[in-house]
Amino acid sequence: MKRLFVALWVLLETGPAFAQAPAEEPASVTQAPAVAPKREAAPSAPGDKPVSPPESSAKVAPEPDAKASGFSPELQRTLDALVRADLKVGPTAGLSVGVMRGGQRWMNGYGYRDVAKKLPATVRTTYRMASITKSFTAVAVMQLAQAGKLDLDADIHTLVPEYPVKQWPVTVRQLLGHLGGVPTYDSPSAGKNTKPVTTKEAIALFSDRPLVSEPGTRYLYTTWGFNLLGAAVETASGQSYREYLRDHVFGPANMSHADLDELSTRDAQQAVGYRVAGGTLKPSRFLDVTSRFGGGGTRASVEDLLNFARAVLDDALVTRETMGRMQATMVTRDGHITDYGMGFATYPLRGHYVVAHAGGQPETTTLLVMLPAEDAAIALATNVEDEAKRLRRLSIRLMEAVLDGGAPSRGGHFTDPVDAVVYEGMGRLASYGLAYHDWATRGPGALPPEADLPGAFAKVSALFDRAAIARDPRGAMERIRGAHEPRAESVFIRVGARMAATVEKAMGAERLRTYRTQGAAGFFADYLAACETLKCPEAQRFSPSVRSDVARFVAGWRRAEVPALKRTRLEAVKDPERVWPSLKDAATRAPAVRPDYTDELLTLADRARRKPMDRMRWLDRATELQPESMDAHLAQAMGLLEADREQEAIPHVREAFETPEGSLVLSPSGFLKRLLDTRSPRVARGLLRAAVTLHPDAPELWDALARRERALGDAVAAKNAQAQAKRARQVRAPRAPGGVAPAGSAPTQDKAGSLSPTVPADSESPPEP
């Protein structure tokens, strides 16, 4: 069982450590009046002159807080230390962080919003929000729908006449969930506008494109679709998009520094943007985002984001019923969950119900994570591009500190592939069940309709049947990864939520918070114990085989636990080298079943990036301790590619592919998705060379390899790859529609089984954190 719902992709460029800049001015977290900020002259558009990363010796104290945050001094120090530790990896410029739970807040700025002038990033610093704008737009649409000024099931053409009638009608509701079939950027130049445009001009940029699929049948993440929604806001409200947001979203949410991101609205606190190239920082290339106004055209501070989160969690912008609908995942016509509601990505993460959006553009990477059941939120913004991996990772560390008492969440490692599939199912059921139970009882959500609960328990037992898994491991894994979906009668959600309710009734609500450290088998064991107390019907106690697996998994987990790591992560230990012998000893005590430390070992490898020998040692240890881990083998392959040891890397890619998880995740589109986080052209080429050995009939992989070979100056290799792509297309041509789809064509199941969009190379980020 690998980590749930988090793709741990490895950064591929070395670079100087992150700098801590001296504070320029105090930043208050007091509520500011809902008025537009005074605008100052905007900075000139950056060029391509390289910028040296700042030195890392200067320190920055937490931003002064005019009101007590409510978080204990110890927790504030912990949060600060987590951020500083994470930012030691790789070059970056500035980062602003905000954490909120109930009435408690902690915010801080790190590094520089302007490296050349050494101006610090603070809580007040404003950043491009990029795709978080989609959440603002969705709120505006739903406000107008509540007021009866906009029909969610209206054809968008009736609201935006300049958007021509297409081969199928496209509704507002479908556009809110990326189910409208509206394309995304379809060429490198399509998303690179450098001149301001009006709403009509922004729509004209794509209005002649046909729909790429029948609405409702397929998830396709699209900024252009949200531009249509922004135009619909103007039609329905009679105001400009900017005026509507300021009057009805930014103002009521107390987002004092939020606005459309135009040069004329920028003030002296706007962050200067950077990208990483060759291991160093360079100014971002200029992009005018008026061309993506409704899908990525705003700017704000992290304080603004926390205020927006507060308004969402308090139902201050739309009613609780409406917000519940916005937070519920949409479903394709054939019953596939998209993990995206109306303007928010929404899915379980380690038993938490997450409502979130990420953003990425030239000049910025952003992330907003809200947890409705826990009344909590995390806001992150940096002025460095392509930092989605860092922000995802950091958000989870902060979440662990604030919500889980700092206790790390670990999956399980199994030497028996049948055990691995069974535990994958248990982990997914536990996460969905705990998350949906909390969301429905403490948040605005609702559970799937209750029907034939004994039958649902029987179906779960059948999914975990060892003989059936042994006969067809891949098929069993596919069925398990779809067991939360309506097409499978949502059995994981229904059964898991009933289990959570039963445990809460017998053992109290706090017991539900313990399973992120105990593992999924602990949740099953407690449920079976609660059933003894509450006399559950026999039909709701699973099969004898499942009960036997639960007991064996719990016993193995307990034998393999390392006391020093029960309440802390390996990378947080002062001297991880001293703990390594204990990890090896634990693996010897419980070779078949034990906690999975892959994530922590790979974090240590990342932090040793400037010490190649140390880095490779931790990568070697990850595959030694978890030889069946897809993540460990992929990370080691990347490390070897960085060291120009391509022939040694390819076997590790194959090992990763041959795991039960890898056979599903490392599809052609899965490999292409990983390239989005691969900054080194040489490493990307090596990964593609390995990928085509596993998928020789995937033309999209050969095409990508040809481009990489050409970019690296190997014309002969590029020509050969292009010829292979042509051959692969000829082989694929007769295939039925169920064949492998090109990247970006459909949702793909990631390693956590969470349907997440496969987004083509694009200036905007997919929504998942």
Side-chain angles (χ1 to χ4, degrees):
M1 171 73 181
K2 311 299 188 292
R3 301 180 325 277
L4 287 175
F5 300 92
V6 182
L8 180 62
W9 299 334
V10 181
L11 289 171
L12 297 170
E13 291 293 332
T14 58
F18 182 81
Q20 306 296 342
E24 178 190 54
E25 56 189 345
S28 169
V29 300
T30 54
Q31 297 288 338
V35 296
K38 182 179 179 181
R39 307 297 170 195
E40 299 181 21
S44 59
D48 280 337
K49 183 179 178 181
V51 175
S52 299
E55 296 298 323
S56 59
S57 57
K59 303 296 181 182
V60 61
E63 295 290 344
D65 188 347
K67 292 170 62 179
S69 73
F71 286 128
S72 69
E74 180 184 5
L75 180 54
Q76 293 184 56
R77 287 192 294 270
T78 296
L79 297 174
D80 181 62
L82 284 171
V83 178
R84 292 177 188 275
D86 192 89
L87 292 175
K88 289 179 180 178
V89 182
T92 193
L95 174 74
S96 297
V97 183
V99 181
M100 175 180 74
R101 189 177 191 187
Q104 303 169 319
R105 286 195 180 194
W106 175 81
M107 294 186 290
N108 201 3
Y110 300 84
Y112 296 104
R113 71 174 187 265
D114 186 325
V115 174
K117 296 180 179 178
K118 295 195 180 301
L119 299 176
T122 69
V123 171
R124 169 65 179 83
T125 299
T126 48
Y127 302 84
R128 284 185 159 175
M129 289 291 100
S131 280
I132 293 179
T133 302
K134 293 178 174 67
S135 299
F136 306 152
T137 300
V139 167
V141 169
M142 297 305 287
Q143 287 175 337
L144 292 165
Q146 280 185 177
K149 297 181 179 180
L150 183 152
D151 181 357
L152 293 181
D153 295 311
D155 187 338
I156 193 64
H157 172 72
T158 65
L159 290 158
V160 189
E162 56 268 34
Y163 187 68
V165 174
K166 299 299 179 180
Q167 61 266 48
W168 299 283
V170 183
T171 69
V172 173
R173 188 188 308 273
Q174 290 163 339
L175 289 172
L176 284 166
H178 299 288
L179 289 172
V182 175
T184 189
Y185 307 119
D186 51 8
S187 69
S189 61
K192 295 183 178 178
N193 305 83
T194 57
K195 296 181 180 179
V197 297
T198 64
T199 296
K200 288 187 176 181
E201 289 170 337
I203 301 301
L205 292 173
F206 63 92
S207 61
D208 61 339
R209 264 80 161 182
L211 301 181
V212 296
S213 59
E214 183 179 354
T217 64
R218 173 180 155 198
Y219 180 102
L220 179 64
Y221 185 79
T222 167
T223 291
W224 283 342
F226 268 75
N227 274 358
L228 289 172
L229 293 173
V233 167
E234 295 188 333
T235 300
S237 69
Q239 293 181 280
S240 71
Y241 177 74
R242 182 193 185 200
E243 290 170 340
Y244 188 91
L245 286 189
R246 293 175 69 182
D247 290 348
H248 300 278
V249 180
F250 297 157
N254 213 8
M255 301 169 67
S256 302
H257 308 296
D259 206 331
L260 292 199
D261 184 27
E262 301 171 1
L263 290 180
S264 61
T265 71
R266 290 188 171 191
D267 61 18
Q269 300 295 326
Q270 179 74 22
V272 175
Y274 302 93
R275 56 193 170 93
V276 178
T280 189
L281 293 175
K282 292 185 178 181
S284 296
R285 295 187 174 95
F286 178 70
L287 172 72
D288 187 285
V289 295
T290 56
S291 62
R292 56 192 71 191
F293 68 105
T298 61
R299 62 178 183 80
S301 67
V302 293
E303 183 176 17
D304 292 327
L305 283 180
L306 285 191
N307 286 345
F308 176 71
R310 181 76 273 151
V312 167
L313 296 172
D314 287 346
D315 309 312
L317 297 174
V318 295
T319 66
R320 186 172 180 82
E321 179 186 4
T322 295
M323 183 50 63
R325 291 161 62 198
M326 295 180 73
Q327 293 178 9
T329 180
M330 285 199 168
V331 181
T332 60
R333 190 177 301 169
D334 59 356
H336 285 279
I337 276 178
T338 65
D339 282 351
Y340 197 95
M342 296 182 181
F344 296 104
T346 177
Y347 51 87
L349 174 63
R350 301 176 176 183
H352 300 285
Y353 196 90
V354 171
V355 176
H357 221 296
Q361 280 175 350
E363 301 188 30
T364 194
T365 312
T366 57
L367 177 62
L368 175 63
V369 177
M370 294 178 285
L371 301 110
E374 288 100 340
D375 196 27
I378 297 167
L380 300 163
T382 177
N383 54 341
V384 180
E385 301 169 18
D386 299 323
E387 287 284 75
K389 175 195 169 183
R390 185 196 299 278
L391 300 195
R392 286 193 298 266
R393 179 179 63 213
L394 184 54
S395 71
I396 290 168
R397 302 294 180 267
L398 296 170
M399 187 189 307
E400 288 175 349
V402 173
L403 301 180
D404 301 329
S409 176
R410 298 185 179 107
H413 181 81
F414 299 87
T415 55
D416 181 348
V418 174
D419 282 347
V421 175
V422 171
Y423 196 82
E424 170 85 3
M426 289 183 179
R428 293 176 62 79
L429 186 148
S431 188
Y432 274 98
L434 290 165
Y436 271 80
H437 169 74
D438 268 5
W439 182 56
T441 56
R442 299 170 181 86
L447 294 173
E450 191 65 82
D452 188 18
L453 195 61
F457 273 85
K459 288 176 180 176
V460 170
S461 290
L463 286 169
F464 294 168
D465 181 73
R466 300 185 65 83
I469 293 171
R471 285 193 300 270
D472 181 15
R474 180 187 174 92
M477 183 70 86
E478 287 179 325
R479 290 187 291 274
I480 279 172
R481 287 181 170 237
H484 63 293
E485 296 188 303
R487 64 191 174 100
E489 301 175 2
S490 305
V491 292
F492 272 7
I493 296 174
R494 292 162 54 214
V495 169
R498 172 55 66 96
M499 292 170 65
T502 301
V503 171
E504 181 172 348
K505 184 176 181 181
M507 302 179 183
E510 284 306 307
R511 188 70 172 182
L512 299 180
R513 311 287 172 255
T514 65
Y515 304 117
R516 290 151 196 142
T517 54
Q518 290 184 5
F523 175 57
F524 274 72
D526 275 359
Y527 169 73
L528 293 172
C531 273
E532 291 295 324
T533 302
L534 301 175
K535 308 301 180 185
C536 298
E538 184 63 27
Q540 296 180 25
R541 301 193 188 200
F542 300 107
S543 67
S545 174
V546 172
R547 295 198 292 266
S548 175
D549 282 342
V550 169
R552 186 165 51 85
F553 292 165
V554 169
W557 189 282
R558 288 174 178 167
R559 283 196 304 271
E561 278 190 316
V562 176
L565 298 177
K566 276 190 174 184
R567 302 296 301 175
T568 189
R569 297 176 63 86
L570 178 61
E571 72 268 21
V573 175
K574 187 173 183 180
D575 185 3
E577 286 287 348
R578 295 183 62 182
V579 183
W580 173 244
S582 298
L583 288 173
K584 292 180 66 177
D585 181 60
T588 302
R589 289 197 309 271
V593 181
R594 58 183 185 270
D596 189 336
Y597 294 95
T598 300
D599 182 81
E600 292 144 273
L601 291 163
L602 298 186
T603 298
L604 286 170
D606 265 359
R607 291 185 180 176
R609 185 168 296 277
R610 289 182 295 163
K611 299 178 180 179
M613 291 183 64
D614 289 350
R615 172 170 163 71
M616 194 55 66
R617 182 171 68 255
W618 287 112
L619 291 173
D620 288 339
R621 287 173 172 178
T623 52
E624 177 186 349
L625 196 67
Q626 275 88 216
E628 289 80 22
S629 168
M630 180 193 77
D631 290 327
H633 282 291
L634 273 182
Q636 185 152 27
M638 292 295 196
L640 290 166
L641 289 171
E642 288 175 340
D644 203 20
R645 295 158 62 182
E646 184 176 310
Q647 292 307 308
E648 296 174 65
I650 289 176
H652 283 285
V653 177
R654 185 169 294 278
E655 288 278 354
F657 179 75
E658 290 175 353
T659 64
E661 182 180 29
S663 64
L664 290 179
V665 175
L666 297 178
S667 61
S669 61
F671 275 109
L672 291 175
K673 186 176 180 180
R674 276 165 170 72
L675 293 181
L676 298 178
D677 267 8
T678 306
R679 287 176 172 154
S680 164
R682 180 169 46 82
V683 171
R685 178 181 65 180
L687 183 62
L688 284 167
R689 285 177 173 177
V692 296
T693 68
L694 299 171
H695 301 289
D697 294 335
E700 61 269 32
L701 291 178
W702 287 109
D703 283 333
L705 178 58
R707 289 193 294 271
R708 297 289 179 173
E709 299 283 16
R710 193 175 299 112
L712 290 169
D714 194 332
V716 173
K719 183 178 180 181
N720 290 339
Q722 206 63 61
Q724 291 291 340
K726 181 178 179 180
R727 181 198 62 79
R729 272 188 286 272
Q730 292 170 344
V731 170
R732 177 175 290 181
R735 288 186 179 180
V740 178
S745 65
T748 60
Q749 285 193 324
D750 67 13
K751 64 188 295 298
S754 169
L755 277 174
S756 56
T758 303
V759 184
D762 184 292
S763 298
E764 293 293 332
S765 276
E768 59 180 333

